[in-house]
Amino acid sequence: MTLVTSRRVTEGDRRWLERAVALAWQARERGDHPFGALLVLPGGGLLEALNSVVTGADPTGHAETNLVRLAGKADRASLSGSVLYTSTEPCAMCAGAIYWSGIGRVVFALSEEGLAGMVEEEEGVPPLRLPSREVFARGGRSIVVDGPVGLVSATAVHEGFWA
């Protein structure tokens, strides 16, 4: 079983989360679901991704999964020291991708529970209520998980979208 731990969320973490929310706004503005994520690599490398479910006609085009695909080109050892910041808690699919990628820490703003309170269903399908910590806990490596981090902007990007 994976040891899921947490650290203190810093002001730097909050700034990266605000950037993830800005990416979520970009996704929303182009017609996709409002989710954004970024990966800070050791040594200062940065990768960013938006949700592309609608524009990519791909139900797996979540921001975090798109980000993991980009990060797959990086050295696996560097991924263990990287931090993934996301506007909303990773779903079960994205948590699985994060687990398999080797990323070492995840920081999220809005919780899956908070999102589920705003989304009754998506194209006839109710939300999958499975927190990322539960997915990570079933694995065999440690992942640091911090969140939810209360950002008004992380809720605002969803307001009026799912109605």
Side-chain angles (χ1 to χ4, degrees), residues 8 15 23 34 47 51-52 56 72 76 89 100 105-107 114 118 120-121 128 130 147 150 154 158:
R8 187 175 154 275
R15 283 192 296 276
L23 294 169
L47 299 171
N51 182 287
S52 61
R76 189 159 176 113
E89 182 173 3
W100 289 112
R105 181 177 179 224
V106 175
V107 184
M118 291 186 274
E120 193 169 312
E121 62 181 40
L128 179 60
L130 182 60
H158 292 280

Side-chain angles (χ1 to χ4, degrees), residues 15-66:
R15 283 192 296 276
W16 287 122
L17 285 174
E18 289 290 0
R19 175 64 188 150
V21 172
L23 294 169
W25 276 109
Q26 287 179 24
R28 180 178 175 157
E29 289 164 1
R30 76 174 189 192
D32 279 303
H33 299 168
F35 300 97
L38 59 95
L39 187 69
V40 177
L41 297 158
L46 179 67
L47 299 171
E48 297 182 334
L50 310 176
N51 182 287
S52 61
V53 167
V54 176
T55 58
D58 178 3
T60 68
H62 293 195
E64 299 89 346
T65 303
N66 290 338

